[in-house]
Amino acid sequence: MAMKVALLGCGVVGSQVVRLIEEQSEELAARIGTPIEVGGIAVRRIDRARGVAPELLTTDAMALATRPDIDVVVEVIGGIEPARSLILAAIESGKSVVTANKALLAEDGQTLHAAARKAGVDLYYEASVAGAIPLLRPLRDSLAGDRVNRVLGIVNGTTNYILDRMDSLGAGFTESLEEAQALGYAEADPTADVEGFDAAAKAAILARLAFHTQRVTAADVHREGITGVTAADIASARAMGCVVKLLAICQRSEDDKSVGVRVHPVMLPVDHPLAGVKEAYNAVFVEAESAGRLMFYGAGAGGTPTASAVLGDVVAVARNRLAGTSVPEGGHDTGRGVHDMGETITSYHVALDVADRPGVLSKVAEIFARHHVSIKNVRQEGRGDDAQLVLVSHPAPDAALNRTVEDLRGHDMVREVASVMRVETFAE
Protein backbone atom coordinates (compact mmCIF):
# COMPACT_ATOMS: atom_id res chain seq x y z
CA MET A 1 0.00 0.00 0.00
CA ALA A 2 1.36 3.44 -0.94
CA MET A 3 2.38 6.00 1.67
CA LYS A 4 0.18 9.06 1.07
CA VAL A 5 1.46 12.61 1.43
CA ALA A 6 -0.70 15.72 1.73
CA LEU A 7 0.75 19.11 0.85
CA LEU A 8 -0.48 22.26 2.53
CA GLY A 9 0.56 24.95 0.06
CA CYS A 10 1.76 24.71 -3.52
CA GLY A 11 3.92 27.72 -4.15
CA VAL A 12 7.59 27.80 -5.15
CA VAL A 13 8.58 25.03 -2.71
CA GLY A 14 5.40 22.96 -2.72
CA SER A 15 5.27 22.66 -6.51
CA GLN A 16 8.89 21.45 -6.54
CA VAL A 17 8.12 18.84 -3.88
CA VAL A 18 5.33 17.47 -6.10
CA ARG A 19 7.65 17.44 -9.12
CA LEU A 20 10.39 15.56 -7.26
CA ILE A 21 7.96 12.97 -5.90
CA GLU A 22 6.65 12.31 -9.39
CA GLU A 23 10.06 12.26 -11.11
CA GLN A 24 11.76 10.09 -8.49
CA SER A 25 8.87 7.79 -7.65
CA GLU A 26 10.77 4.54 -8.28
CA GLU A 27 13.88 5.62 -6.37
CA LEU A 28 11.80 6.92 -3.47
CA ALA A 29 9.87 3.66 -3.26
CA ALA A 30 13.16 1.74 -3.10
CA ARG A 31 14.55 4.00 -0.36
CA ILE A 32 11.40 3.89 1.75
CA GLY A 33 10.31 0.33 1.12
CA THR A 34 6.90 1.25 -0.23
CA PRO A 35 5.56 3.59 -2.94
CA ILE A 36 4.86 7.19 -2.03
CA GLU A 37 2.20 9.32 -3.68
CA VAL A 38 0.62 12.74 -3.32
CA GLY A 39 -2.87 12.28 -1.86
CA GLY A 40 -3.95 15.92 -2.06
CA ILE A 41 -2.78 19.53 -2.19
CA ALA A 42 -4.42 22.36 -0.27
CA VAL A 43 -4.36 25.77 -1.95
CA ARG A 44 -6.16 29.08 -1.55
CA ARG A 45 -7.36 29.22 -5.15
CA ILE A 46 -7.87 26.25 -7.44
CA ASP A 47 -8.01 28.31 -10.64
CA ARG A 48 -4.31 29.24 -10.64
CA ALA A 49 -1.97 27.30 -12.96
CA ARG A 50 0.42 25.23 -10.83
CA GLY A 51 1.62 22.41 -13.06
CA VAL A 52 -0.04 19.73 -10.90
CA ALA A 53 -3.01 17.43 -11.49
CA PRO A 54 -6.18 19.52 -10.88
CA GLU A 55 -7.96 16.60 -9.18
CA LEU A 56 -5.43 16.76 -6.34
CA LEU A 57 -6.32 20.35 -5.43
CA THR A 58 -8.63 21.42 -2.61
CA THR A 59 -9.31 24.62 -0.72
CA ASP A 60 -10.23 22.73 2.46
CA ALA A 61 -6.81 22.45 4.11
CA MET A 62 -8.16 21.23 7.44
CA ALA A 63 -10.10 18.36 5.85
CA LEU A 64 -7.00 17.31 3.92
CA ALA A 65 -4.68 17.55 6.95
CA THR A 66 -6.95 15.24 8.97
CA ARG A 67 -8.11 12.89 6.20
CA PRO A 68 -7.91 9.26 7.40
CA ASP A 69 -5.90 7.91 4.44
CA ILE A 70 -3.13 10.55 4.72
CA ASP A 71 0.11 9.39 6.39
CA VAL A 72 2.40 12.43 6.14
CA VAL A 73 1.45 16.12 6.04
CA VAL A 74 3.91 18.58 4.46
CA GLU A 75 3.29 22.20 5.48
CA VAL A 76 4.81 24.81 3.17
CA ILE A 77 2.29 27.62 3.70
CA GLY A 78 4.52 29.64 6.03
CA GLY A 79 3.51 32.14 8.71
CA ILE A 80 1.91 31.46 12.06
CA GLU A 81 -1.77 30.90 11.27
CA PRO A 82 -3.42 28.88 9.83
CA ALA A 83 -0.21 26.81 9.70
CA ARG A 84 -0.09 26.19 13.46
CA SER A 85 -3.73 25.05 13.68
CA LEU A 86 -3.34 22.81 10.64
CA ILE A 87 -0.15 21.18 11.93
CA LEU A 88 -1.61 20.57 15.38
CA ALA A 89 -4.77 19.08 13.86
CA ALA A 90 -2.69 16.81 11.63
CA ILE A 91 -0.59 15.64 14.59
CA GLU A 92 -3.65 15.01 16.75
CA SER A 93 -5.05 12.94 13.85
CA GLY A 94 -1.96 10.74 13.97
CA LYS A 95 -0.12 12.18 10.97
CA SER A 96 3.62 12.74 10.89
CA VAL A 97 4.47 16.29 9.84
CA VAL A 98 7.25 17.84 7.75
CA THR A 99 7.45 21.63 7.73
CA ALA A 100 9.75 24.35 6.43
CA ASN A 101 8.10 26.99 8.63
CA LYS A 102 10.93 28.71 10.50
CA ALA A 103 8.73 31.52 11.82
CA LEU A 104 6.29 29.14 13.48
CA LEU A 105 9.00 26.84 14.85
CA ALA A 106 10.89 29.81 16.28
CA GLU A 107 7.77 31.27 17.92
CA ASP A 108 5.95 28.16 19.13
CA GLY A 109 8.10 25.11 18.47
CA GLN A 110 7.66 23.91 22.06
CA THR A 111 3.91 23.44 21.52
CA LEU A 112 4.45 21.52 18.29
CA HIS A 113 7.09 19.26 19.84
CA ALA A 114 4.88 18.52 22.83
CA ALA A 115 1.97 17.61 20.59
CA ALA A 116 4.15 15.31 18.44
CA ARG A 117 5.54 13.52 21.49
CA LYS A 118 2.07 13.05 22.93
CA ALA A 119 0.72 11.66 19.65
CA GLY A 120 3.79 9.51 19.01
CA VAL A 121 4.41 10.94 15.54
CA ASP A 122 7.33 12.61 13.79
CA LEU A 123 7.87 16.35 13.43
CA TYR A 124 10.76 17.11 11.04
CA TYR A 125 11.89 20.49 9.71
CA GLU A 126 15.28 20.26 8.03
CA ALA A 127 14.24 22.83 5.39
CA SER A 128 13.51 25.52 7.99
CA VAL A 129 17.19 26.48 8.32
CA ALA A 130 19.73 26.79 5.50
CA GLY A 131 17.61 25.28 2.72
CA ALA A 132 19.19 22.20 1.16
CA ILE A 133 22.10 22.01 3.60
CA PRO A 134 21.85 18.87 5.81
CA LEU A 135 22.28 20.55 9.18
CA LEU A 136 19.54 19.96 11.74
CA ARG A 137 19.61 16.18 11.76
CA PRO A 138 23.43 16.11 12.04
CA LEU A 139 23.10 18.45 15.05
CA ARG A 140 20.40 16.25 16.57
CA ASP A 141 21.67 12.78 15.61
CA SER A 142 25.30 12.72 14.42
CA LEU A 143 26.49 14.97 17.28
CA ALA A 144 24.18 13.42 19.90
CA GLY A 145 27.20 11.90 21.65
CA ASP A 146 29.16 15.13 21.65
CA ARG A 147 28.92 18.52 23.32
CA VAL A 148 28.35 21.44 20.98
CA ASN A 149 29.81 24.64 22.40
CA ARG A 150 29.14 27.18 19.67
CA VAL A 151 27.29 27.49 16.37
CA LEU A 152 27.95 30.36 13.96
CA GLY A 153 26.05 30.69 10.75
CA ILE A 154 25.50 32.71 7.60
CA VAL A 155 21.84 31.70 7.37
CA ASN A 156 20.39 34.43 5.17
CA GLY A 157 21.47 34.49 1.54
CA THR A 158 20.06 37.95 0.82
CA THR A 159 22.21 39.72 3.39
CA ASN A 160 25.27 37.68 2.48
CA TYR A 161 24.84 38.66 -1.16
CA ILE A 162 24.51 42.35 -0.27
CA LEU A 163 27.56 42.38 2.02
CA ASP A 164 29.60 40.39 -0.50
CA ARG A 165 28.84 42.93 -3.27
CA MET A 166 29.71 45.79 -0.94
CA ASP A 167 33.04 44.13 -0.17
CA SER A 168 34.04 42.80 -3.60
CA LEU A 169 32.79 45.68 -5.78
CA GLY A 170 32.76 48.61 -3.38
CA ALA A 171 29.03 49.02 -3.98
CA GLY A 172 26.79 50.82 -1.49
CA PHE A 173 24.05 49.14 0.54
CA THR A 174 21.14 50.52 -1.52
CA GLU A 175 22.75 49.60 -4.84
CA SER A 176 23.54 46.07 -3.63
CA LEU A 177 20.01 45.60 -2.29
CA GLU A 178 18.48 46.68 -5.60
CA GLU A 179 20.69 44.20 -7.43
CA ALA A 180 19.64 41.42 -5.04
CA GLN A 181 15.99 42.26 -5.68
CA ALA A 182 16.51 42.25 -9.45
CA LEU A 183 18.05 38.77 -9.23
CA GLY A 184 15.24 37.45 -7.02
CA TYR A 185 17.43 37.07 -3.92
CA ALA A 186 15.51 39.75 -2.02
CA GLU A 187 11.78 40.41 -1.67
CA ALA A 188 10.15 43.68 -2.70
CA ASP A 189 9.90 44.33 1.04
CA PRO A 190 13.31 43.12 2.28
CA THR A 191 12.73 43.97 5.96
CA ALA A 192 12.71 40.37 7.24
CA ASP A 193 16.11 39.79 5.66
CA VAL A 194 18.02 43.05 6.05
CA GLU A 195 16.79 43.70 9.61
CA GLY A 196 17.76 40.19 10.74
CA PHE A 197 14.30 38.77 11.53
CA ASP A 198 14.75 35.77 9.21
CA ALA A 199 18.17 34.96 10.66
CA ALA A 200 16.88 35.38 14.22
CA ALA A 201 14.17 32.75 13.68
CA LYS A 202 16.78 30.34 12.33
CA ALA A 203 19.14 31.12 15.21
CA ALA A 204 16.42 30.18 17.71
CA ILE A 205 15.93 26.81 15.99
CA LEU A 206 19.69 26.16 15.88
CA ALA A 207 20.11 27.02 19.56
CA ARG A 208 17.29 24.71 20.60
CA LEU A 209 18.77 21.74 18.77
CA ALA A 210 22.44 22.41 19.54
CA PHE A 211 21.90 22.98 23.26
CA HIS A 212 18.85 20.78 23.89
CA THR A 213 16.56 23.51 25.14
CA GLN A 214 13.01 24.26 24.05
CA ARG A 215 13.05 27.63 25.82
CA VAL A 216 14.55 29.71 23.00
CA THR A 217 12.18 31.70 20.78
CA ALA A 218 12.88 34.31 18.13
CA ALA A 219 11.94 36.99 20.67
CA ASP A 220 14.89 35.88 22.85
CA VAL A 221 17.43 36.49 20.09
CA HIS A 222 19.41 39.72 20.18
CA ARG A 223 18.91 41.07 16.66
CA GLU A 224 20.60 43.76 14.57
CA GLY A 225 20.34 44.08 10.79
CA ILE A 226 22.73 45.33 8.12
CA THR A 227 21.06 48.59 7.07
CA GLY A 228 23.61 50.57 9.06
CA VAL A 229 26.66 48.92 7.48
CA THR A 230 28.60 51.50 5.43
CA ALA A 231 31.38 51.46 2.86
CA ALA A 232 33.63 52.84 5.60
CA ASP A 233 32.86 49.79 7.79
CA ILE A 234 33.73 47.48 4.90
CA ALA A 235 36.99 49.34 4.27
CA SER A 236 37.91 49.37 7.96
CA ALA A 237 37.27 45.63 8.20
CA ARG A 238 39.50 45.05 5.18
CA ALA A 239 42.27 47.09 6.81
CA MET A 240 42.06 44.75 9.81
CA GLY A 241 42.17 41.60 7.67
CA CYS A 242 38.44 41.01 8.11
CA VAL A 243 35.20 40.92 6.14
CA VAL A 244 31.76 41.97 7.34
CA LYS A 245 29.17 39.18 7.65
CA LEU A 246 25.75 38.95 9.25
CA LEU A 247 26.12 36.01 11.61
CA ALA A 248 23.73 34.00 13.76
CA ILE A 249 25.76 33.08 16.85
CA CYS A 250 24.61 30.54 19.44
CA GLN A 251 26.89 29.78 22.39
CA ARG A 252 26.85 28.03 25.76
CA SER A 253 27.58 30.14 28.83
CA GLU A 254 30.74 29.30 30.77
CA ASP A 255 28.71 27.81 33.64
CA ASP A 256 26.56 25.83 31.12
CA LYS A 257 23.36 27.10 32.74
CA SER A 258 22.22 29.27 29.85
CA VAL A 259 22.87 30.07 26.20
CA GLY A 260 23.51 33.24 24.26
CA VAL A 261 21.72 33.68 20.94
CA ARG A 262 22.38 36.70 18.75
CA VAL A 263 22.23 37.96 15.17
CA HIS A 264 24.24 40.99 14.11
CA PRO A 265 26.94 42.14 11.67
CA VAL A 266 30.48 41.20 12.67
CA MET A 267 33.98 41.81 11.42
CA LEU A 268 35.20 38.28 10.76
CA PRO A 269 38.88 37.37 10.18
CA VAL A 270 39.49 36.47 6.53
CA ASP A 271 41.12 33.17 7.52
CA HIS A 272 37.90 31.89 9.10
CA PRO A 273 36.03 29.46 6.78
CA LEU A 274 32.83 31.52 6.96
CA ALA A 275 34.65 34.58 5.61
CA GLY A 276 34.96 32.91 2.20
CA VAL A 277 31.23 32.27 1.77
CA LYS A 278 30.20 34.38 -1.20
CA GLU A 279 27.04 35.61 -2.90
CA ALA A 280 23.74 34.12 -1.67
CA TYR A 281 25.21 30.94 -0.22
CA ASN A 282 24.68 29.81 3.38
CA ALA A 283 27.13 28.11 5.72
CA VAL A 284 27.01 27.04 9.35
CA PHE A 285 30.13 26.46 11.45
CA VAL A 286 29.85 24.15 14.45
CA GLU A 287 32.37 23.93 17.27
CA ALA A 288 32.03 20.66 19.21
CA GLU A 289 34.13 19.36 22.06
CA SER A 290 35.13 16.02 20.52
CA ALA A 291 34.35 16.41 16.82
CA GLY A 292 36.13 19.75 16.67
CA ARG A 293 35.21 22.30 14.02
CA LEU A 294 32.73 21.36 11.30
CA MET A 295 31.24 23.42 8.49
CA PHE A 296 28.05 22.83 6.51
CA TYR A 297 27.85 24.77 3.23
CA GLY A 298 25.46 25.07 0.30
CA ALA A 299 22.42 26.72 -1.24
CA GLY A 300 20.34 28.22 1.53
CA ALA A 301 17.15 29.02 -0.36
CA GLY A 302 15.24 28.52 -3.59
CA GLY A 303 12.41 26.21 -4.57
CA THR A 304 14.39 23.17 -5.66
CA PRO A 305 17.05 23.16 -2.87
CA THR A 306 14.40 23.66 -0.19
CA ALA A 307 12.20 20.98 -1.75
CA SER A 308 15.18 18.61 -1.60
CA ALA A 309 15.41 19.10 2.16
CA VAL A 310 11.64 18.69 2.55
CA LEU A 311 11.68 15.45 0.57
CA GLY A 312 14.58 14.13 2.65
CA ASP A 313 12.42 14.59 5.73
CA VAL A 314 9.46 12.92 4.00
CA VAL A 315 11.63 9.86 3.30
CA ALA A 316 12.80 9.75 6.93
CA VAL A 317 9.32 10.00 8.46
CA ALA A 318 7.86 7.57 5.91
CA ARG A 319 10.50 5.00 6.89
CA ASN A 320 9.70 5.53 10.56
CA ARG A 321 5.99 5.20 9.89
CA LEU A 322 6.53 1.96 7.94
CA ALA A 323 8.60 0.62 10.84
CA GLY A 324 6.01 1.73 13.41
CA THR A 325 8.41 4.11 15.17
CA SER A 326 8.76 7.87 15.58
CA VAL A 327 11.53 10.24 16.55
CA PRO A 328 9.96 13.67 17.10
CA GLU A 329 12.50 16.44 16.53
CA GLY A 330 13.54 18.37 19.60
CA GLY A 331 14.42 15.66 22.08
CA HIS A 332 14.68 16.34 25.80
CA ASP A 333 14.72 19.79 27.36
CA THR A 334 17.68 20.60 29.60
CA GLY A 335 15.97 23.75 30.84
CA ARG A 336 18.73 26.12 29.72
CA GLY A 337 17.38 29.61 29.26
CA VAL A 338 18.78 32.56 27.31
CA HIS A 339 21.09 34.97 29.08
CA ASP A 340 20.98 38.70 28.48
CA MET A 341 23.03 40.10 25.62
CA GLY A 342 24.81 42.35 28.11
CA GLU A 343 26.47 39.30 29.66
CA THR A 344 27.88 38.13 26.33
CA ILE A 345 31.63 38.55 25.92
CA THR A 346 32.37 40.42 22.68
CA SER A 347 34.90 42.78 21.12
CA TYR A 348 34.03 46.14 19.55
CA HIS A 349 35.39 48.09 16.61
CA VAL A 350 34.65 51.78 17.30
CA ALA A 351 35.28 54.63 14.86
CA LEU A 352 35.22 58.14 16.39
CA ASP A 353 35.19 61.52 14.66
CA VAL A 354 37.25 63.56 17.10
CA ALA A 355 38.81 66.98 17.52
CA ASP A 356 42.45 66.75 16.44
CA ARG A 357 44.13 68.23 19.49
CA PRO A 358 46.42 67.01 22.28
CA GLY A 359 44.90 64.82 24.96
CA VAL A 360 42.09 63.32 22.92
CA LEU A 361 43.51 59.80 22.81
CA SER A 362 44.32 59.80 26.53
CA LYS A 363 40.78 60.96 27.31
CA VAL A 364 39.27 58.25 25.11
CA ALA A 365 41.50 55.64 26.78
CA GLU A 366 40.37 56.94 30.16
CA ILE A 367 36.70 56.39 29.21
CA PHE A 368 37.45 52.82 28.12
CA ALA A 369 39.30 52.16 31.40
CA ARG A 370 36.44 53.65 33.44
CA HIS A 371 34.21 50.85 32.16
CA HIS A 372 36.89 48.17 32.56
CA VAL A 373 37.31 47.70 28.82
CA SER A 374 40.84 47.15 27.53
CA ILE A 375 41.92 48.61 24.18
CA LYS A 376 43.60 46.08 21.87
CA ASN A 377 44.74 48.51 19.20
CA VAL A 378 44.13 52.05 17.98
CA ARG A 379 44.93 54.02 14.86
CA GLN A 380 44.27 57.53 13.62
CA GLU A 381 42.97 58.26 10.14
CA GLY A 382 43.06 61.78 8.68
CA ARG A 383 43.98 65.04 10.38
CA GLY A 384 42.30 68.24 11.46
CA ASP A 385 38.55 68.30 10.94
CA ASP A 386 38.76 64.90 9.21
CA ALA A 387 40.52 63.18 12.10
CA GLN A 388 39.10 59.82 13.07
CA LEU A 389 40.20 57.43 15.79
CA VAL A 390 39.59 53.74 15.17
CA LEU A 391 39.80 51.49 18.23
CA VAL A 392 39.35 47.75 18.71
CA SER A 393 38.69 46.45 22.20
CA HIS A 394 39.74 43.25 23.88
CA PRO A 395 36.78 40.94 24.69
CA ALA A 396 34.56 42.33 27.45
CA PRO A 397 30.92 42.06 28.56
CA ASP A 398 28.71 43.60 25.90
CA ALA A 399 27.01 45.79 28.51
CA ALA A 400 30.35 47.34 29.48
CA LEU A 401 31.17 48.03 25.85
CA ASN A 402 27.74 49.62 25.36
CA ARG A 403 28.29 51.89 28.35
CA THR A 404 31.70 52.85 26.96
CA VAL A 405 30.18 53.89 23.63
CA GLU A 406 27.43 55.89 25.32
CA ASP A 407 30.02 57.67 27.47
CA LEU A 408 32.03 58.50 24.34
CA ARG A 409 28.92 59.94 22.67
CA GLY A 410 28.50 62.37 25.55
CA HIS A 411 32.07 63.72 25.50
CA ASP A 412 32.79 67.11 23.93
CA MET A 413 35.99 65.88 22.24
CA VAL A 414 33.97 63.30 20.27
CA ARG A 415 32.04 64.92 17.46
CA GLU A 416 30.43 61.64 16.44
CA VAL A 417 30.62 57.92 17.09
CA ALA A 418 30.76 57.12 13.38
CA SER A 419 30.59 53.34 13.62
CA VAL A 420 30.27 50.54 16.14
CA MET A 421 30.59 46.92 15.08
CA ARG A 422 31.45 43.72 16.91
CA VAL A 423 34.60 41.82 16.01
CA GLU A 424 34.38 38.05 16.27
CA THR A 425 37.48 36.41 17.74
CA PHE A 426 38.44 32.74 17.87
CA ALA A 427 40.56 30.94 20.41
CA GLU A 428 42.90 28.34 18.96
Side-chain angles (χ1 to χ4, degrees):
M1 182 180 294
M3 192 79 63
K4 286 197 174 182
V5 176
L7 265 80
L8 308 181
C10 194
V12 173
V13 175
S15 60
Q16 292 302 311
V17 171
V18 175
R19 180 182 65 80
L20 291 175
I21 289 175
E22 292 174 348
E23 290 181 357
Q24 302 178 20
S25 58
E26 291 185 11
E27 292 181 33
L28 292 171
R31 292 172 197 162
I32 295 168
T34 191
I36 184 171
E37 65 181 43
V38 177
I41 305 170
V43 294
R44 286 184 190 172
R45 293 174 51 190
I46 291 179
D47 57 346
R48 283 183 56 190
R50 303 172 192 276
V52 300
E55 62 270 19
L56 292 174
L57 301 178
T58 177
T59 56
D60 194 340
M62 185 61 74
L64 178 61
T66 57
R67 211 171 76 191
D69 65 323
I70 295 297
D71 300 290
V72 181
V73 171
V74 175
E75 183 272 312
V76 283
I77 300 171
I80 306 303
E81 287 293 352
R84 172 167 44 200
S85 297
L86 291 167
I87 289 174
L88 289 173
I91 288 171
E92 289 164 8
S93 299
K95 324 296 182 190
S96 290
V97 171
V98 173
T99 178
N101 195 331
K102 57 185 174 288
L104 176 57
L105 289 162
E107 178 174 303
D108 203 16
Q110 191 167 8
T111 298
L112 303 184
H113 288 305
R117 283 191 293 271
K118 182 179 178 181
V121 298
D122 284 321
L123 172 65
Y124 276 27
Y125 43 89
E126 185 66 61
S128 65
V129 179
I133 303 171
L135 172 64
L136 301 188
R137 266 184 278 165
L139 276 176
R140 187 199 69 184
D141 298 333
S142 304
L143 294 174
D146 207 339
R147 171 191 166 106
V148 175
N149 291 317
R150 182 157 71 159
V151 178
L152 305 97
I154 296 170
V155 294
N156 183 274
T158 300
T159 52
N160 198 59
Y161 181 86
I162 291 170
L163 293 172
D164 182 46
R165 302 304 276 182
M166 292 176 71
D167 179 63
S168 60
L169 299 181
F173 172 80
T174 301
E175 178 187 349
S176 300
L177 171 59
E178 289 173 352
E179 185 176 342
Q181 289 171 322
L183 291 170
Y185 294 145
E187 301 289 341
D189 179 359
T191 303
D193 294 320
V194 299
E195 295 295 353
F197 290 101
D198 175 81
K202 295 169 181 175
I205 295 168
L206 286 171
R208 288 208 303 250
L209 279 179
F211 307 123
H212 311 290
T213 175
Q214 291 300 307
R215 303 189 181 197
V216 184
T217 69
D220 297 314
V221 180
H222 175 85
R223 176 193 54 78
E224 298 172 26
I226 66 166
T227 53
V229 177
T230 66
D233 294 326
I234 300 291
S236 195
R238 189 181 299 114
M240 293 169 52
C242 293
V243 294
V244 177
K245 295 290 186 184
L246 182 76
L247 290 189
I249 303 173
C250 314
Q251 188 167 4
R252 290 178 188 260
S253 62
E254 288 191 10
D255 62 10
D256 200 23
K257 293 181 179 178
S258 63
V259 298
V261 191
R262 50 195 166 108
V263 168
H264 53 73
V266 304
M267 292 183 177
L268 187 69
V270 293
D271 59 357
H272 190 277
L274 288 176
V277 178
K278 302 293 186 180
E279 298 188 340
Y281 282 90
N282 281 197
V284 176
F285 194 77
V286 178
E287 298 175 3
E289 202 157 279
S290 299
R293 296 176 176 182
L294 311 169
M295 191 165 92
F296 301 82
Y297 168 86
T304 303
T306 305
S308 170
V310 168
L311 198 54
D313 278 351
V314 170
V315 170
V317 299
R319 284 172 174 167
N320 289 347
R321 201 165 183 88
L322 197 62
T325 62
S326 67
V327 188
E329 289 271 13
H332 70 289
D333 184 4
T334 59
R336 293 186 185 95
V338 179
H339 61 249
D340 186 82
M341 181 62 185
E343 301 172 33
T344 300
I345 304 300
T346 60
S347 294
Y348 272 22
H349 167 280
V350 183
L352 306 173
D353 289 337
V354 296
D356 186 15
R357 61 177 187 260
V360 172
L361 180 56
S362 62
K363 189 62 183 178
V364 168
E366 179 186 316
I367 292 172
F368 271 77
R370 183 185 306 157
H371 298 285
H372 308 289
V373 176
S374 175
I375 297 173
K376 182 179 181 180
N377 57 58
V378 59
R379 70 180 189 273
Q380 179 172 326
E381 297 179 350
R383 301 191 66 82
D385 290 341
D386 296 325
Q388 189 173 78
L389 280 181
V390 179
L391 306 99
V392 177
S393 75
H394 281 287
D398 199 79
L401 286 157
N402 256 317
R403 288 193 294 269
T404 302
V405 171
E406 288 308 306
D407 204 343
L408 290 166
R409 284 195 170 104
H411 200 280
D412 58 4
M413 287 187 177
V414 177
R415 293 193 293 261
E416 181 185 13
V417 177
S419 173
V420 178
M421 190 175 294
R422 293 176 185 84
V423 180
E424 198 62 27
T425 56
F426 300 88
E428 294 298 328

